[in-house]
Amino acid sequence: MAKQTSHELKNKVVYQVFTRQHSKTSDFKGIIEDLDRIKLLGVDIVYLLPFHPIGKKDRKGSIGSPYAIYDYYAIDPLHGTLEDFKALVKEIHQRDMKIMIDIVFNHTSRDSLLTQKHPEWFYKKPDGSFANRVGDWSDITDFDFLSHRAIWDYLIDVLKYWAQFVDGFRCDVAPLLPLDFWKEARVKVEQVNPNMIWLTESVHLGFIKYIRDMGYDAFSDSQMYEVFDVAYDYDVFDFMDDYLNGKDTLKRYLFELWRQEATYPKNFVKLRSFENHDQDRIAHKVGNKAKLIQMTALQFFLKGMPMIYAGQEHQVTKRPDLFEMDLVPWNKDESIEDLITKLSSIKKLDIMSKGTYHFVNTDSIAHLEYHLGNEKLIGIFNLENLSSIKVDLTDGKYLNILTNKLHEVKNGSLPLGNEPIIFHLK
C-alpha cells in the first residue's frame, strides 16, 4: 500500500457514472438532478468516466469512446462547460460525497492536440503512422514514455490541474505506464491536493503476461500498491466469471479471494466491482434474481471498496455502448436500491475496516467473517441454494441485520433460504 493509504477506504462505496449515458440530457446537470438518489444509496464517491472531447480520426461508432481523448484540459460540450463541472463538484461536496475522475494516460486519440503538437511523443508503425502497442484499440495511439521525458512533465501538469477540483483519480490501464511515473506524479500532485484517492485499473493476469511476452512492462497489483491506494479486482475477476458461467467452482473463486490476503500488503484495498463499462452486467451474467441478491450482498461484504455501476441498482442487464448514445434503461420496478442502501450502511461499520477477515467455509458456500475483539460480523451467502449450513454458534435465535428477520440455530445447524444472512454479534 501507499504509506498514506487510509484503512477507512474499506468503508467507502463508489458509484460509477458514464455521463452521456446517465440522463436524457447526457450532461453534468443531469447527474446533479440524480445526486440525492445516489446519496441515499450510501455512496461516498461519485466516479465519472472521461468527459473530455473525443477524437474524430479512426473513431469507433458515431460518437466514439471517451477513452480516445482529444484534449486533456477541455470538456466535451455535450456534457457542459467547466463552470457546469464546477457546479457538479460543488453539489457532490455539499452532499458530503467525493468526486473521482478518470485519467487516461496510456494513449490519446490519433488526432489529439498532442499528436499534432508533439508527434514524436507517440509510438509509430514502421511507416511512421501512429500506433498502439497491443490489442484492437484502433482509435488511439500510445505514448512512448521511455523515450520522452517531456511527456511525464506534461501529464503531471494535467493531474495537478484537475486536482484543484476533484478528490480522486481512477487511472486507466495504469500498470502499462512506468511505475516511476506514477511515483513522481503522486508526490507532485500531493503538493496541490494531499488528500487525493488514487485508484488503479489493474489488468487481468493473462494480459500482464501477454504484455510482458511482447517485451513491454506491465506491473502487478503488488507493485501498483507502492503508489496507489486501491486496485481493481481483475486478478480474481476471471475466476468469478468462470464460476458464474459454470466453467469453474465457487470453491475456486473463493480460494482466489483468500489468496489475495497473502499476496498483497497487509492493509490492501481492492475495488469490488462486479460490473463496469468494460464488463457485462452482473444481472446478465447471473440471470437469477435470488442469486443476484446473494452476489450483491457478497460484493459489499468482501474486504474492500464496492463499486456500483449506474443501473446495477435497477438490475439492468445491458451494458451501455461505449461508442454510441445509449441511455441506461432505468427501471424502478426492478430496483434493489433498498438492499444496496442497507449493505452500504453495514459497509460503514468499523469492524469492516479494522477487523480481521476470515474465510470460514469456502467449499460450497460463501461464509466469511470479520473479528474485532469480542465483536463478530458474520456473512453467509447461499449461492448454491443449499438447505442448511453448520455454524460455530450457540443454539438460539440470531438477527439478520440485512433483513431484520430472526434465524434459529439448532444443533449447530442454520437453515438457509434465498436471502443473504449477516449477523452482527457483540
Side-chain angles (χ1 to χ4, degrees):
M1 302 295 300
K3 291 181 180 179
Q4 56 272 67
T5 298
S6 170
H7 70 85
E8 293 179 354
L9 289 176
K10 289 179 280 189
N11 296 116
K12 306 302 183 185
V13 176
V14 183
Y15 188 85
Q16 181 185 14
V17 175
F18 191 167
T19 301
R20 78 171 186 234
Q21 317 292 34
H22 193 79
S23 69
K24 291 181 180 179
T25 56
S26 299
D27 58 11
F28 298 137
K29 293 179 182 178
I31 300 173
I32 290 174
E33 291 178 0
D34 198 29
L35 286 179
D36 287 338
R37 184 191 67 86
I38 293 171
K39 175 65 177 179
L40 286 174
L41 292 174
V43 170
D44 302 285
I45 302 168
V46 178
Y47 149 46
L48 303 185
L49 265 69
F51 46 74
H52 310 291
I54 297 169
K56 295 180 180 179
K57 181 175 174 55
D58 297 329
R59 172 182 286 184
K60 291 185 176 182
S62 60
I63 304 297
S65 167
Y67 291 89
I69 293 173
Y70 177 79
D71 180 1
Y72 289 117
Y73 284 99
I75 291 175
D76 190 327
L78 174 68
H79 304 322
T81 64
L82 178 60
E83 292 307 310
D84 293 329
F85 177 72
K86 290 180 181 178
L88 172 60
V89 172
K90 181 179 179 181
E91 293 287 344
I92 288 172
H93 287 164
Q94 285 180 343
R95 289 165 176 79
D96 197 28
M97 296 187 291
K98 297 182 183 298
I99 179 168
M100 175 181 287
I101 64 171
D102 221 320
I103 297 298
V104 186
F105 281 176
N106 178 67
H107 51 263
T108 72
S109 69
R110 294 194 172 184
D111 58 351
S112 69
L113 290 181
L114 291 179
T115 61
Q116 298 172 50
K117 188 175 180 180
H118 293 288
E120 72 280 6
W121 286 4
F122 295 86
Y123 278 93
K124 305 289 197 312
K125 295 179 182 178
D127 64 5
S129 60
F130 291 118
N132 56 293
R133 288 172 290 175
V134 296
D136 65 348
W137 302 337
S138 57
D139 54 341
I140 57 93
T141 182
D142 288 1
F143 282 114
D144 185 358
F145 270 87
L146 299 182
S147 300
H148 300 280
R149 166 69 209 193
I151 298 171
W152 296 38
D153 298 331
Y154 182 92
L155 295 179
I156 288 173
D157 283 343
V158 171
L159 291 172
K160 290 165 67 176
Y161 173 77
W162 289 107
Q164 301 174 86
F165 310 113
V166 304
D167 309 294
F169 293 138
R170 178 267 188 191
C171 299
D172 188 62
V173 292
L176 302 191
L177 278 65
L179 189 59
D180 285 342
F181 165 78
W182 292 119
K183 290 178 179 179
E184 181 176 330
R186 177 151 190 170
V187 169
K188 291 185 176 179
V189 168
E190 285 181 347
Q191 297 170 7
V192 176
N193 185 342
N195 299 312
M196 292 292 289
I197 300 168
W198 292 76
L199 165 63
T200 172
E201 183 201 22
S202 51
V203 293
H204 296 262
L205 300 180
F207 192 65
I208 291 177
K209 185 177 187 307
Y210 169 65
I211 293 293
R212 290 175 175 178
D213 287 350
M214 293 185 67
Y216 301 114
D217 284 332
F219 296 97
S220 69
D221 286 8
S222 290
Q223 291 171 297
M224 299 307 289
Y225 276 128
E226 294 179 32
V227 179
F228 287 85
D229 302 303
V230 188
Y232 268 50
D233 56 357
Y234 280 160
D235 56 318
V236 297
F237 204 87
D238 290 341
F239 298 101
M240 180 188 76
D241 275 354
D242 285 347
Y243 162 61
L244 293 176
N245 63 29
K247 292 182 179 179
D248 212 330
T249 62
L250 174 63
K251 182 177 182 178
R252 176 61 188 276
Y253 171 49
L254 294 172
F255 173 77
E256 295 301 329
L257 287 167
W258 174 87
R259 189 199 295 271
Q260 291 177 332
E261 292 299 299
T263 302
Y264 303 127
K266 183 179 180 180
N267 195 34
F268 77 95
V269 184
K270 275 287 180 179
L271 184 77
R272 302 304 181 181
S273 167
F274 283 4
E275 63 178 65
N276 57 59
H277 66 280
D278 282 327
Q279 304 295 335
D280 285 338
R281 297 282 195 178
I282 188 68
H284 170 74
K285 295 176 183 179
V286 174
N288 175 306
K289 183 171 182 178
K291 191 165 186 174
L292 175 66
I293 297 301
Q294 297 281 356
M295 285 294 295
T296 304
L298 175 64
Q299 177 186 359
F300 276 74
F301 201 83
L302 294 175
K303 186 172 81 172
M305 197 163 70
M307 183 174 81
I308 296 297
Y309 185 29
Q312 184 176 345
E313 68 271 36
H314 284 188
Q315 299 185 72
V316 172
T317 57
K318 182 182 183 299
R319 173 162 48 112
D321 195 307
L322 196 62
F323 311 109
E324 303 288 352
M325 297 293 290
D326 188 16
L327 180 67
V328 174
W330 301 103
N331 184 359
K332 291 183 179 179
D333 292 339
E334 296 296 328
S335 172
I336 55 171
E337 290 174 321
D338 287 346
L339 171 69
I340 290 174
T341 298
K342 291 177 182 177
L343 290 168
S344 294
S345 67
I346 295 170
K347 173 56 69 173
K348 291 172 175 53
L349 295 172
D350 280 349
I351 192 172
M352 295 208 80
S353 61
K354 298 178 181 177
T356 57
Y357 180 56
H358 304 273
F359 289 75
V360 181
N361 187 326
T362 58
D363 190 2
S364 56
I365 196 164
H367 174 183
L368 303 94
E369 297 183 0
Y370 292 83
H371 298 173
L372 183 62
N374 294 325
E375 183 182 358
K376 286 186 180 181
L377 192 67
I378 300 171
I380 298 173
F381 309 98
N382 189 20
L383 295 162
E384 294 293 278
N385 198 28
L386 302 182
S387 59
S388 64
I389 182 177
K390 287 291 185 181
V391 291
D392 185 19
L393 291 172
T394 303
D395 284 3
K397 294 182 178 180
Y398 296 84
L399 178 67
N400 183 351
I401 62 172
L402 189 57
T403 63
N404 288 321
K405 295 179 181 179
L406 292 173
H407 296 258
E408 187 171 8
V409 175
K410 288 185 178 180
N411 300 319
S413 180
L414 174 66
L416 299 176
N418 290 329
E419 294 179 324
I421 295 173
I422 300 178
F423 297 144
H424 191 191
L425 309 182
K426 299 180 182 180

